[in-house]
Coordinates of all heavy atoms in Angstrom, one line a residue:
A1 N 0.8 -1.2 0.0 CA 0.0 0.0 0.0 C 0.9 1.3 0.0 O 0.6 2.2 -0.7 CB -0.9 0.0 1.2
A2 N 1.9 1.2 0.8 CA 2.8 2.3 0.9 C 3.6 2.6 -0.5 O 3.8 3.7 -0.9 CB 3.9 2.2 2.0
G3 N 3.9 1.5 -1.1 CA 4.6 1.5 -2.4 C 3.7 2.1 -3.5 O 4.1 3.0 -4.3
V4 N 2.4 1.8 -3.5 CA 1.4 2.3 -4.4 C 1.3 3.8 -4.2 O 1.2 4.6 -5.2 CB 0.1 1.6 -4.3 CG1 -1.0 2.3 -5.1 CG2 0.2 0.1 -4.8
R5 N 1.2 4.2 -2.9 CA 1.0 5.6 -2.6 C 2.3 6.4 -3.1 O 2.2 7.5 -3.6 CB 0.8 5.8 -1.2 CG -0.6 5.5 -0.8 CD -1.0 6.0 0.6 NE -0.1 5.4 1.7 CZ -0.4 4.3 2.3 NH1 -1.4 3.6 2.0 NH2 0.5 3.8 3.2
A6 N 3.5 5.8 -2.8 CA 4.7 6.4 -3.2 C 4.8 6.6 -4.8 O 5.2 7.6 -5.3 CB 5.9 5.7 -2.7
E7 N 4.4 5.5 -5.5 CA 4.4 5.6 -6.9 C 3.4 6.6 -7.5 O 3.7 7.4 -8.4 CB 4.1 4.2 -7.5 CG 5.1 3.2 -7.4 CD 4.7 1.8 -7.9 OE1 3.5 1.7 -8.3 OE2 5.5 0.9 -7.9
E8 N 2.3 6.8 -6.8 CA 1.3 7.8 -7.2 C 1.8 9.2 -7.0 O 1.7 10.1 -7.8 CB 0.0 7.6 -6.5 CG -0.8 6.3 -6.8 CD -2.0 6.0 -6.0 OE1 -2.1 6.8 -5.0 OE2 -2.8 5.2 -6.4
A9 N 2.5 9.4 -5.8 CA 3.1 10.7 -5.5 C 4.2 11.0 -6.5 O 4.4 12.1 -7.0 CB 3.7 10.6 -4.1
V10 N 5.1 10.0 -6.9 CA 6.1 10.3 -7.9 C 5.5 10.6 -9.2 O 6.0 11.6 -9.9 CB 7.0 9.0 -8.0 CG1 7.9 9.1 -9.2 CG2 7.8 8.8 -6.7
A11 N 4.5 9.9 -9.6 CA 3.9 10.2 -10.9 C 3.3 11.6 -10.9 O 3.5 12.3 -12.0 CB 2.7 9.2 -11.2
A12 N 2.7 12.0 -9.8 CA 2.1 13.4 -9.7 C 3.2 14.4 -9.8 O 3.1 15.4 -10.5 CB 1.3 13.5 -8.5
A13 N 4.3 14.2 -9.1 CA 5.5 15.1 -9.1 C 6.0 15.2 -10.5 O 6.4 16.3 -11.0 CB 6.5 14.6 -8.1
L14 N 6.2 14.1 -11.2 CA 6.7 14.1 -12.6 C 5.8 14.9 -13.5 O 6.3 15.6 -14.4 CB 6.9 12.7 -13.1 CG 8.1 11.9 -12.5 CD1 8.1 10.5 -12.9 CD2 9.4 12.5 -12.7
A15 N 4.5 14.7 -13.3 CA 3.6 15.5 -14.1 C 3.7 17.0 -13.9 O 3.7 17.7 -14.9 CB 2.1 15.0 -13.8
Q16 N 3.9 17.3 -12.6 CA 4.0 18.7 -12.4 C 5.4 19.3 -12.9 O 5.4 20.4 -13.5 CB 4.0 19.0 -10.8 CG 2.7 18.7 -10.2 CD 2.7 18.9 -8.7 OE1 3.8 19.1 -8.1 NE2 1.6 18.7 -8.0
I17 N 6.4 18.5 -12.8 CA 7.7 18.9 -13.4 C 7.6 19.1 -14.9 O 8.1 20.0 -15.5 CB 8.8 17.9 -13.0 CG1 9.1 17.9 -11.5 CG2 10.1 18.2 -13.8 CD1 10.0 16.8 -11.1
A18 N 6.9 18.1 -15.6 CA 6.7 18.2 -17.0 C 6.0 19.4 -17.4 O 6.3 20.1 -18.4 CB 6.0 16.9 -17.5
E19 N 4.9 19.7 -16.7 CA 4.1 20.9 -16.9 C 4.9 22.2 -16.8 O 4.9 23.1 -17.6 CB 2.8 21.0 -16.1 CG 2.0 22.1 -16.3 CD 1.4 22.2 -17.7 OE1 1.3 21.1 -18.3 OE2 1.1 23.3 -18.2
A20 N 5.7 22.3 -15.7 CA 6.6 23.4 -15.4 C 7.6 23.6 -16.5 O 7.9 24.7 -17.0 CB 7.2 23.2 -14.1
A21 N 8.2 22.4 -17.0 CA 9.1 22.5 -18.1 C 8.5 23.0 -19.4 O 9.1 23.8 -20.1 CB 9.7 21.1 -18.3
R22 N 7.3 22.5 -19.7 CA 6.6 23.0 -20.9 C 6.4 24.5 -20.8 O 6.5 25.2 -21.7 CB 5.3 22.3 -21.1 CG 5.4 20.9 -21.7 CD 4.1 20.3 -22.2 NE 3.3 20.1 -21.0 CZ 3.1 18.9 -20.4 NH1 3.9 17.9 -20.8 NH2 2.3 18.8 -19.4
T23 N 5.9 24.9 -19.6 CA 5.6 26.4 -19.4 C 6.9 27.2 -19.6 O 6.9 28.2 -20.3 CB 5.0 26.6 -18.0 OG1 3.8 25.9 -17.9 CG2 4.7 28.0 -17.8
G24 N 8.0 26.6 -18.9 CA 9.3 27.4 -19.0 C 9.8 27.4 -20.4 O 10.3 28.5 -20.9
L25 N 9.7 26.3 -21.2 CA 10.1 26.3 -22.5 C 9.4 27.2 -23.4 O 9.9 27.9 -24.3 CB 10.0 24.8 -23.1 CG 10.5 24.6 -24.5 CD1 11.9 25.0 -24.7 CD2 10.2 23.1 -25.0
G26 N 8.0 27.2 -23.2 CA 7.2 28.2 -24.0 C 7.6 29.6 -23.7 O 7.7 30.4 -24.7
R27 N 7.9 30.0 -22.5 CA 8.3 31.3 -22.1 C 9.7 31.7 -22.7 O 9.9 32.8 -23.2 CB 8.3 31.5 -20.6 CG 8.7 32.9 -20.2 CD 7.8 34.0 -20.7 NE 8.2 35.2 -20.4 CZ 7.9 36.4 -21.0 NH1 7.1 36.3 -22.1 NH2 8.3 37.6 -20.6
M28 N 10.6 30.7 -22.6 CA 11.9 30.9 -23.3 C 11.9 31.1 -24.7 O 12.5 31.9 -25.3 CB 12.8 29.7 -22.9 CG 13.3 29.6 -21.5 SD 14.3 28.2 -21.1 CE 15.7 28.6 -22.2
T29 N 11.0 30.3 -25.3 CA 10.8 30.4 -26.8 C 10.3 31.8 -27.2 O 10.7 32.5 -28.1 CB 9.8 29.4 -27.4 OG1 10.4 28.1 -27.1 CG2 9.7 29.5 -28.8
Q30 N 9.3 32.3 -26.3 CA 8.7 33.6 -26.5 C 9.7 34.7 -26.4 O 9.8 35.7 -27.1 CB 7.5 33.8 -25.6 CG 6.8 35.2 -25.8 CD 5.7 35.4 -24.7 OE1 5.4 34.5 -24.0 NE2 5.1 36.6 -24.7

């Protein structure tokens, strides 16, 4: 159960990092 919760937390963090990277890349391109 703890492993599942940790994997879900990692997936959510990676999604946030990817979104931040896309936003940053778009701003840098602009």
Side-chain angles (χ1 to χ4, degrees):
V4 170
R5 288 194 296 270
E7 290 177 356
E8 291 175 349
V10 170
L14 289 175
Q16 292 177 354
I17 292 172
E19 181 61 28
R22 281 193 294 268
T23 302
L25 180 60
R27 181 56 183 159
M28 288 178 61
T29 301
Q30 180 183 357

